[in-house]
Amino acid sequence: MLDYATLKIIWWVLVGVLLVGFAIMDGHDMGVGTLLPFVGRNDEERRVVINTVGPHWDGNQVWFITAGGAIFAAWPLVYATAFSGFYWAMLAVLWALFFRPVGFDYRSKVHDPRWRSTWDWGLFIGGAVPPLIFGVAFGNLLQGVPFQFDDYLVSTYTGSFWQLLNPFALLAGVVSSAMITLHGGVYLAHRTEGAIQARATTAARSAALLAVLGFVAAGLWLRFGGIEGFAMAQAPDPNAMPDPLAKLVVRSADAWWANYRRLPVLWALPGLGVGGALLAAGLVGARRTLAAFVASSLAMAGIIGTAGAAMFPFVMPSSSMPSASLTVWDSVSSPMTLALMLGATVLFMPLVVIYTGWAYRVMRGKVTVEHIRANSHSAY
């Protein structure tokens, strides 16, 4: 039987894996949606773009739902506090996501160009808005979120929606959008040919450069721009039951770099983020699109992992009451809950991965304008 502290660490890793899985699997079809109005110049080309992700996008949503469910079950205090502070931001994500199922299902039902163009831009909103908001949320986590707990552990958010849209958070949103656009462009280049592939390749390479520049700028801003990180002055017992007020947290300018000083091997994560994006740009330009997709996936894992490694053990720091910050040690569920969930994850996650791999293998290959013309009455 694993002890409580080990279960807490395992679930920190698993939530990270789910977030990276969501970025890779749902990220490429969101990236495709972001590029849809730009790489498709007419209705047939846009149908080509949509058909590259049409059979898979809803299955990829499993990663998003699973990641949200895992946070709810493993980190209930984080879930409750985040939805209090990020309420309007999360609603904006939800409203944007509404366009995806309706757009995919109804775009091709009517042959009116205005109808189809409207849903094309709806799919653009559904693909572009969520990554931007998720990036903004990460940017706010690195600065600290203004919330506090009372003696009954009831959280109170003391900020406003507009406060979330600060310059550093917006830069983080740009990085998130760029890496998702890179991933979508690489996927489109892999599944299409001709003019669409050329436009997707150009978009992917531009997005890669923007992602790298934004990622490096955000790191320099964190180190030298006056943003204070969070550090434990008095840590709780890792095996104790959760109590977010049973610790002492201080802020310092270089706190987010402490883990990198203690474990220099962690520098491999930002190296993977930068190197993976640049490698993806080079490979997609050389038309080695499958290798480019792998490289862009590694880039996203590196970028997300960089933020996670910097913040550990913090999950949701508090700027207004630092000692109320939520961490891996004091925001989790009971040992039994974590153990039962771990068993279910070990059983079902391989099945999800195997089924997803099988589905992509069955529906692999290029989607062309000729294919669309020959299947003019298809669902997408």
Side-chain angles (χ1 to χ4, degrees), residues 126-167:
V129 170
L132 176 65
I133 292 180
F134 292 145
V136 168
F138 259 98
N140 279 282
L141 289 178
L142 287 164
Q143 297 174 91
V145 181
F147 71 91
Q148 58 193 36
F149 289 108
D150 62 18
D151 292 338
Y152 298 98
L153 296 184
V154 175
S155 66
T156 302
Y157 178 70
T158 58
S160 67
F161 170 78
W162 300 111
Q163 187 177 342
L164 300 175
L165 303 178
N166 57 78

Side-chain angles (χ1 to χ4, degrees), residues 286-302:
R287 296 196 176 185
R288 297 180 60 186
T289 52
L290 183 58
F293 186 82
V294 174
S296 66
S297 300
L298 293 175
M300 289 196 292

Side-chain angles (χ1 to χ4, degrees), residues 8-380:
K8 292 175 181 179
I9 294 293
I10 289 174
W11 271 102
W12 178 80
V13 173
L14 284 176
V15 170
V17 168
L18 288 170
L19 291 176
V20 171
F22 163 61
I24 293 172
M25 299 307 301
D26 212 15
H28 73 261
D29 56 57
M30 286 186 177
V32 168
T34 302
L35 292 173
L36 172 62
F38 310 105
V39 300
R41 300 294 173 82
N42 55 49
D43 182 63
E44 287 183 334
E45 289 186 349
R46 291 183 178 182
R47 288 192 67 197
V48 168
V49 172
I50 291 171
N51 273 269
T52 63
V53 296
H56 303 291
W57 75 269
D58 48 356
N60 292 335
Q61 291 284 112
V62 169
W63 290 92
F64 179 47
I65 296 168
T66 305
I71 293 173
F72 170 76
W75 294 341
L77 273 177
V78 173
Y79 187 91
T81 306
F83 271 80
S84 175
F86 298 151
Y87 181 77
W88 288 108
M90 294 301 180
L91 273 183
V93 170
L94 184 62
W95 291 333
L97 290 175
F98 286 159
F99 286 103
R100 301 184 77 205
V102 183
F104 280 116
D105 285 344
Y106 287 99
R107 180 199 181 275
S108 295
K109 302 297 185 186
V110 177
H111 291 281
D112 185 341
R114 292 172 299 178
W115 170 271
R116 294 189 172 187
S117 178
T118 298
W119 286 117
D120 289 340
W121 285 104
L123 289 171
F124 165 79
I125 292 171
V129 170
L132 176 65
I133 292 180
F134 292 145
V136 168
F138 259 98
N140 279 282
L141 289 178
L142 287 164
Q143 297 174 91
V145 181
F147 71 91
Q148 58 193 36
F149 289 108
D150 62 18
D151 292 338
Y152 298 98
L153 296 184
V154 175
S155 66
T156 302
Y157 178 70
T158 58
S160 67
F161 170 78
W162 300 111
Q163 187 177 342
L164 300 175
L165 303 178
N166 57 78
F168 178 79
L170 291 174
L171 175 59
V174 169
V175 174
S176 175
S177 296
M179 72 177 189
I180 292 299
T181 304
L182 160 64
H183 204 46
V186 168
Y187 181 77
L188 267 182
H190 182 63
R191 294 294 310 278
T192 60
E193 59 185 27
I196 301 174
Q197 185 184 57
R199 295 181 201 124
T201 297
T202 300
R205 300 184 76 178
S206 300
L209 180 60
L210 181 59
V212 169
L213 292 176
F215 181 52
V216 172
L220 294 174
W221 194 340
L222 272 179
R223 183 62 183 89
F224 304 108
I227 296 177
E228 292 184 325
F230 294 75
M232 293 275 199
Q234 180 180 337
D237 179 2
N239 280 296
M241 293 302 292
D243 181 359
L245 300 179
K247 62 180 179 296
L248 179 62
V249 176
V250 296
R251 303 197 65 174
S252 66
D254 63 345
W256 287 148
W257 302 88
N259 289 334
Y260 290 93
R261 288 196 301 270
R262 283 192 291 265
L263 290 172
V265 69
L266 293 177
W267 284 102
L269 292 170
L272 189 63
V274 172
L278 294 177
L279 182 61
L283 289 170
V284 75
R287 296 196 176 185
R288 297 180 60 186
T289 52
L290 183 58
F293 186 82
V294 174
S296 66
S297 300
L298 293 175
M300 289 196 292
I303 291 172
I304 296 171
T306 297
M311 291 178 61
F312 182 86
F314 292 92
V315 177
M316 190 173 182
S318 169
S319 58
S320 57
M321 188 179 179
S323 292
S325 299
L326 298 175
T327 73
V328 171
W329 312 123
D330 53 28
S331 60
V332 299
S333 294
S334 68
M336 180 175 290
T337 300
L338 297 182
L340 289 174
M341 288 172 54
L342 179 59
T345 301
V346 170
L347 177 63
F348 290 109
M349 184 174 282
L351 296 178
V352 172
V353 172
I354 291 170
Y355 170 77
T356 302
W358 173 82
Y360 273 85
R361 178 174 175 79
V362 168
M363 290 180 248
R364 69 189 183 278
K366 300 285 187 179
V367 181
T368 64
V369 172
E370 290 72 21
H371 170 81
I372 294 301
R373 290 171 180 167
N375 297 273
S376 59
H377 298 292
S378 64
Y380 304 108

